[in-house]
Amino acid sequence: MSRPASTSPPGRPQRRRGALTPTLIIVAVVVVGFIFFANVWTDVLWYQQLGFFEVYFRENLARILIFLAGFVLMAVPIFYAIRVAYHARPVYAPDAEVRDNLNRYQAQLEPVRRVVMIGIPVLFGLFAGSAAASQWQAVLLFFNQMPFGQSDPQFGLDISFYLMTLPFLGFATGFLMSVVVIAGIAGILTHYLYGSIRLMERGIFTSRAAQIHLAVTGAVFLLLLGANFWLNVYDTVQNQGGHWAGALYTDVNAVIPTQTILAVAAGLVAILFIVAAVIGRWRLPVIGTAMLIITSILAGGVYPWVIQQFQVRPSEQTLENKYIDRNISMTRSAYGLDKIQVSPYNATTDAKTGALAKDAQTTANIRLLDPNLVSSAFSQLEQYRPYYQFPKSLNVDRYTVDGKTQDTVIAVRELNQDGLNASQQTWVNRHIVYTHGYGVVAAKGNTVTVDGKPDFLLSGIPSMGTLGSDTSYQPRIYFGEDSPDYSVVGAPDGAPQREQDRPAATDSTTETQYTFTGNGGPSVGNWFNRLLYSIKFQSSDLLLSDGVNAKSQILYDRSPRDRVEKVAPYLTVDGSAYPAVIDGRVKWIVDGYTTSQYFPYSQQQQLQTATADSQTTSGRTAVLPNNSVNYIRNSVKATVDAYDGSVTLYAWDDQDPILKSWQKIFPSTIKPISEMSGQLMSHVRYPEDLFKVQQELLGRYHVTNADSFYQNNDAWSVPNDPTVTDPVRQPPYYLSLQMPGQTKPAFQLTSSFIPQVVNGNARNILYGFLAADSDAGNQKGVKADSYGQLRLLQLPTDTQVPGPGQAQNKFNSDPEVSQQLNLLRQGASDVLNGNLLTLPVGGGLLYVQPVYVKSTGETSYPTLQRVLVAFGDKVGFASTLDAALKVLFGGDSGASAGDSANNGQTTTTPPGSTTPPAAADAQAQLKAALDQANKAIQDGQAALAKGDFAGYGAQQNLLSAAIQKALDAESRLGVAPAPSASASPSASPLPSASPSASPLPTPSASPSK
């Protein structure tokens, strides 16, 4: 027989069939594998350069080992369940029809039987291993746990059992139960497929081998189920399903006993299954299983429901009293509220003359600069180049100036690559040339310049000011909240400088160049590393550019919060990182929390919800993850160097058992507090998100009496921010103030409380004021005893002290304030209300709100032009805080504000204004003098009525002095002097001055840069 002619052209060898597909598969596997390797190895390089390779190695080693354990624990039982069932298959089946069907299935399966018997266990093992690896933190904490030294009130076990042992045991039990179920199903299907289990008209036929297999599987499952019932006993103290957290009356008297009974019952039924496997009779295990199911329904569900409905509900307050008390005590302990100092504060609403004399230091430090509004002012005055930027919200800190603590509003001048022209948006410019920001800008918090601009303590390019200069600190910002995704920096000695550094001077058009000299990122000086990073960042330019040299480093993952989260994956990081000049470097300070959701009897909080306020909703601060916690500690203070990105973790709460456990796991990563420098200590703050969580809890847990707590008749809420339109909570504010009972002012984080908001409605009166001491001192490694002390001022519920909402309404509705604000809006200007601050001074609560004016031009920025103040029902309004306080407190507040030096200064009148520019202080003094005169007349009449002629004479002297002040002020306003009032008792009293300031001069439209 002749062969068919070849279709290939003469002289060309025939193509080998079937070789292309395997080749493509191999190439694809190699490519994917190398990409995976590139991402892994670049992570290794990143952690090694940063000095935290221990974290990367141990975390991933733990993940791998737990993955392998989970894989083996799942795959091996499934494999042997299938294998045992296969080898136990019967030799023949009596039913021909069934046998034919089974033979058909077996014939189809036989060619791939080995693959299936191995593939199915491997597949389930991969899923199980991945799920187990995600629990690496629970596993490591279990094997490295440290005791709390505190017991739960129900079982008397150390708290570490609930936070570190019980979660692991629950995970292990649940995992093993899923293994038994899946392996059991695999065995049953194999038995059925090969005829050991058959469905017949007379019932279900099972071979002896299948019976033993099922019995053993059932027994193991029931033992695990019994263990799960036993663990449920301890889970009751973590219950969050009731009105209060923890094991309540029904749990203690019904759920715990029934779960114990079910655990024992499950063990007994497991024994019956083993007996059935031996004797081959299934009546007892079947009956036992049915009884277990019925018991679990009746004892586990019906009985507790009956107890709750018919015993607890009619006498709930009495029966739950003991358990509510546990909930209060343990919740306050878990959130650090157990050491709070609560003081009654009988706040007055009477703005008496000289009332602030005892609060002179607090008054001098009242912050006027709103960090949320002055960002654009910083930008217009200090940006200098379009490739610089400032954040939307600046930070509040404090520095020592001339021996005194000065509240400051601070920010760093970060890089803004989007400010480059389109023609400049090249790879070289974005990753080689424009690599860093430059300089710190800081302004006084308690005063502004005469024309309303920030009064800078550190500013300009190069940096100059009271806080230092370029020679006293490293001003370059390579690592910040808005840094580029990656930059390539560094060069050999003598090589040309390629990085854009800064303008040569503030008013210069020339630019200076710079070369990074630190150790800030992995090396890309060799070809192999360049290849790996070009794959990681999907950039061929990185591989081919001549801008990458033998000394080049690549900087990435540059956000301070992200860097801390990567090197300490067990921490929850605060949403606000802030910069500070410390020991000659700009360092970002980041707060880290250890958290848990397993603290017994403690009320859980959802972090994202508890920390939400007008700052997070506007995107000014980061939002915390959507996790539930019922234990939190500010256990770590971290710093990130803005120049080289180095991360340092300090054990701030070195008594926290969770942190101690992580220190055992990663022993070389966390430094003791003794290594914190004095300058770093002086810039530590009480963290905002911890404070928000605590204030949310205090809305209910300031009540420590179980009966009152049950009635919930004294619950509080954090007031909504009255300066925004959306109904969101007011954020806490950093202030330097002296709380009642303190001997000197301290830098504090503050908030207030109003009655509980129900369905959006609440009386906006003040019930409480909370402050957290943020002064840690300035000694190396020594934390001040007062740091972190929470102080709660509790106002009587019958005192009508206005809340923030009412204070804002008074400002908005006061006729003279409205008139002046309308004048300020003339000349194409907008009026912006600053943050509304609350201060417990003068025996009451003082509200202070700066008012900014901003013209509508593109380059305009807000300038501080007025200050609103309120005390009780009175309102003051002037161009300075000092003048406004004088108006508010009858001409003499008793203390000087930080901007008192601006009194008597003038500003330019904006377009459309009708008020003479020099009239501000004259009008304020006129109003104050009239108030004093009116008060002197009233007090004189009261003294005369009592027959106190000496007191009457003294008041007449004060009246004469006040009238003279009023006449002097009128003359400066160009008003004809009014006839002097008679000093006789029959003289008509002068009209009482309005609590609001008189019409004041309006400021200029905001200057443009």
Side-chain angles (χ1 to χ4, degrees), residues 825-844:
R825 293 186 179 96
Q826 298 179 18
S829 296
D830 292 329
V831 174
L832 306 175
N833 290 329
N835 44 206
L836 182 60
L837 306 179
T838 309
L839 299 99
V841 294

Side-chain angles (χ1 to χ4, degrees), residues 115-423:
V115 175
V116 171
M117 291 181 66
I118 295 175
I120 290 178
V122 168
L123 180 63
F124 279 98
L126 291 175
F127 284 118
S130 299
S134 66
Q135 298 295 317
W136 68 275
Q137 293 193 20
V139 175
L140 289 182
L141 282 177
F142 171 73
F143 287 106
N144 296 275
Q145 60 183 281
M146 297 291 289
F148 269 69
Q150 178 184 359
S151 301
D152 79 283
Q154 177 61 35
F155 300 106
L157 298 174
D158 190 88
I159 300 298
S160 61
F161 170 79
Y162 298 97
L163 271 64
M164 303 178 197
T165 300
L166 194 58
F168 171 78
L169 295 179
F171 155 69
T173 304
F175 183 86
L176 292 176
M177 289 178 68
S178 65
V179 170
V180 173
V181 169
I182 295 173
I185 292 174
I188 291 173
L189 291 177
T190 305
H191 278 299
Y192 175 77
L193 184 62
Y194 286 96
S196 296
I197 299 176
R198 297 195 302 275
L199 301 178
M200 305 176 63
E201 293 182 359
R202 293 171 297 174
I204 300 176
F205 168 79
T206 56
S207 67
R208 177 65 176 158
Q211 290 179 5
I212 295 174
H213 192 165
L214 291 176
V216 172
T217 300
V220 174
F221 177 80
L222 285 166
L223 288 174
L224 292 172
L225 183 62
N228 190 65
F229 284 136
W230 187 263
L231 294 178
N232 287 343
V233 170
Y234 300 101
D235 280 338
T236 56
V237 299
Q238 300 171 338
N239 181 28
Q240 299 287 327
H243 295 299
W244 309 277
L248 305 178
Y249 182 90
T250 300
D251 297 309
V252 171
N253 294 279
V255 176
I256 290 176
T258 55
Q259 292 294 312
T260 304
I261 292 171
L262 289 173
V264 175
L268 293 175
V269 176
I271 294 174
L272 294 179
F273 269 86
I274 298 298
V275 172
V278 175
I279 66 177
R281 298 191 178 186
W282 289 84
R283 181 181 299 274
L284 289 178
V286 170
I287 294 174
T289 301
M291 292 299 296
L292 180 62
I293 295 174
I294 294 172
T295 303
S296 64
I297 294 173
L298 294 178
V302 176
Y303 177 62
W305 180 84
V306 170
I307 294 295
Q308 180 67 29
Q309 294 297 316
F310 299 103
Q311 185 173 351
V312 176
R313 284 190 64 181
S315 307
E316 188 174 53
Q317 183 172 353
T318 301
L319 295 179
E320 300 287 22
N321 187 280
K322 171 183 176 181
Y323 307 103
I324 294 173
D325 190 66
R326 291 179 178 180
N327 170 242
I328 294 172
S329 175
M330 298 298 282
T331 298
R332 288 169 64 93
S333 174
Y335 288 94
L337 300 174
D338 50 340
K339 297 180 181 178
I340 188 171
Q341 291 182 3
V342 181
S343 304
Y345 190 60
N346 297 316
T348 180
T349 56
D350 185 10
K352 297 179 179 179
T353 302
L356 302 184
K358 294 182 180 180
D359 301 292
Q361 289 181 286
T362 296
T363 305
N365 285 315
I366 294 176
R367 180 171 54 77
L368 295 177
L369 215 57
D370 185 347
N372 298 325
L373 292 183
V374 297
S375 176
S376 57
F378 272 49
S379 296
Q380 289 298 320
L381 297 172
E382 289 292 323
Q383 183 171 311
Y384 295 111
R385 293 292 188 269
Y387 53 80
Y388 289 137
Q389 65 178 333
F390 289 95
K392 291 173 60 178
S393 180
L394 311 185
N395 288 283
V396 179
D397 201 355
R398 69 281 194 203
Y399 287 82
T400 301
V401 179
D402 297 330
K404 297 181 179 180
T405 300
Q406 172 70 60
D407 285 9
T408 60
V409 174
I410 189 171
V412 294
R413 193 183 288 109
E414 290 204 53
L415 184 65
N416 176 26
Q417 292 184 338
D418 293 335
L420 300 175
N421 295 328
S423 61

Side-chain angles (χ1 to χ4, degrees), residues 363-369 406 444-450 452 455 848 850 864-869 878-886 895-905 921:
T363 305
N365 285 315
I366 294 176
R367 180 171 54 77
L368 295 177
L369 215 57
Q406 172 70 60
K444 295 179 180 178
N446 63 341
T447 187
V448 294
T449 62
V450 175
D455 187 0
V848 178
L864 179 61
Q865 298 297 340
R866 295 291 185 271
V867 181
L868 287 161
V869 292
S879 58
T880 66
L881 173 60
D882 193 69
L885 291 175
K886 289 179 179 178
S896 297
D899 63 349
S900 59
N902 290 345
N903 289 343
Q905 303 295 322
D921 293 289

